[in-house]
Amino acid sequence: MKLVNEKLAANLLKAGSKEFLSMGFQGASLRSIAASLGVTTGAIYRYYSDKEALFDALVEESAKTLVEQYRKLQKSFAAMPLERQLCELPEVPDEKQLWMLRHIYDHFDAFKLIICCSAGTKYEHYIDTLIEIEANSSRALIDRMTAEGLKIRCIDDALIHIVSSALFFGMFETVKHDMPFEKAVIYTNSLREFYSAGWFKILGLSNA
């Protein structure tokens, strides 16, 4: 019986992922998921209280790990001397960016669900969490440059938010368009170079 239950639980996750990817969260139906498995909706309710709980089970761990790692990365960046921070702009070093991208691709369906199918769930604004971390880090760096006497242009929070949004919405385009990992690496490396040069330009700094 235990093996049967474990198999059903695994198949339920697979069927749920397929349904959400096909229909989106709002269009998905537990009845449809149950029918695809040849069980009743009551069988699903033994595992999940509703379809949002099922969606959460599919994406929570992957989503949480990325956010936690990104917060850790930004704290590490903030602890660096200012000169090194400027040398490492943007704030995602190559090896960390590759980890982020590999994590996303190792859990591709989870992030596809978050980016394309999460309207109506708490993950609908998931990217905004990453953008907020990035924007706060950027604000702290700009304030630090000003405090240490660097002559830079005045950048308000609205522009910081726009630039931070461009970084993450650009990165997740790779998922939205089902880009192969190797191509996604090239794409995000180019995005990183563009983002870095752009920061130096709008701050009025030389990155020579």
Side-chain angles (χ1 to χ4, degrees):
M1 180 63 71
K2 183 177 180 181
L3 289 176
V4 172
N5 290 341
E6 289 177 353
K7 184 177 180 180
L8 175 58
N11 287 340
L12 178 53
L13 289 172
K14 291 178 183 178
S17 180
K18 183 177 179 180
E19 174 78 0
F20 290 131
L21 287 170
S22 175
M23 304 300 296
F25 174 77
Q26 292 177 324
S29 163
L30 289 183
R31 182 175 296 176
S32 176
I33 295 170
S36 72
L37 295 172
V39 299
T40 66
T41 53
I44 296 179
Y45 287 127
R46 288 201 293 269
Y47 294 90
Y48 303 105
S49 58
D50 52 29
K51 69 176 180 178
E52 185 156 9
L54 175 55
F55 190 94
D56 194 57
L58 288 164
V59 306
E60 180 182 26
E61 185 175 351
S62 301
K64 183 179 179 181
T65 297
L66 185 63
V67 167
E68 289 179 347
Q69 180 66 18
Y70 197 60
R71 281 204 178 99
K72 183 179 178 181
L73 169 64
Q74 294 295 15
K75 287 181 181 179
S76 176
F77 180 82
M80 294 178 181
L82 179 59
E83 183 177 351
R84 186 177 171 192
Q85 284 182 306
L86 294 176
C87 287
E88 293 199 5
L89 276 175
E91 297 137 53
V92 186
D94 289 337
E95 70 278 7
K96 296 297 184 181
Q97 176 182 276
L98 185 59
W99 177 90
M100 290 176 65
L101 196 60
R102 184 169 286 119
H103 176 75
I104 289 167
Y105 271 72
D106 284 346
H107 305 88
F108 191 88
D109 282 354
F111 285 101
K112 183 80 172 184
L113 286 169
I114 291 169
I115 302 307
C116 301
C117 309
S118 63
T121 77
K122 64 183 180 182
Y123 298 96
E124 182 173 0
H125 303 292
Y126 176 79
I127 293 182
D128 291 339
T129 301
L130 296 168
I131 291 170
E132 182 181 8
I133 296 169
E134 171 68 21
N136 288 342
S137 180
S138 298
R139 177 79 269 167
L141 174 57
I142 291 169
D143 290 345
R144 185 176 181 183
M145 285 190 281
T146 301
E148 296 197 20
L150 271 68
K151 294 183 179 179
I152 58 175
R153 293 178 184 147
C154 180
I155 307 295
D156 64 19
D157 289 344
L159 181 55
I160 292 173
H161 178 80
I162 289 170
V163 174
S164 300
S165 297
L167 174 66
F168 278 103
F169 278 103
M171 180 181 294
F172 280 109
E173 282 293 299
T174 62
V175 175
K176 188 179 293 185
H177 296 287
D178 299 311
M179 200 173 287
F181 177 73
E182 293 75 14
K183 187 175 180 180
V185 171
I186 296 171
Y187 179 97
T188 52
N189 281 341
S190 297
L191 179 64
R192 182 179 186 274
E193 291 174 359
F194 178 86
Y195 185 75
S196 179
W199 264 123
F200 279 103
K201 184 69 174 180
I202 64 177
L203 288 171
L205 294 170
S206 170
N207 60 343

